[in-house]
Amino acid sequence: MPKEIKHPKISQTLKIGFLSFKAQPEHAGIDYYGHGILLGDSIVMDPSTGEVVLKVNLA
């Protein structure tokens, strides 16, 4: 019988569950493209729509 291979991140997730990205204190929301915004990130906001985009995604 083959030996079972275990990945440490999967084992940790099975023990404690998934960590919530939004539960992190430095999390400030999600931009237009679905990327997480952390406090201190540079953003651009469209004043007519209120949409927010991370500056790094404007390239």
Side-chain angles (χ1 to χ4, degrees):
M1 186 175 246
K3 184 177 178 181
E4 184 178 344
I5 299 173
K6 294 184 179 185
H7 191 280
K9 292 291 182 184
I10 294 173
S11 298
Q12 177 186 12
T13 301
L14 291 172
K15 273 191 213 173
I16 64 172
F18 289 100
L19 297 177
S20 173
F21 185 68
K22 291 183 180 181
Q24 295 177 0
E26 68 272 2
H27 189 265
I30 304 290
D31 79 348
Y32 176 79
Y33 297 107
H35 297 110
I37 301 171
L38 302 178
L39 292 179
D41 284 346
S42 296
I43 59 169
V44 176
M45 186 166 86
D46 182 346
S48 62
T49 63
E51 294 290 348
V52 176
V53 178
L54 286 165
K55 278 189 177 181
V56 296
N57 292 333
L58 294 177

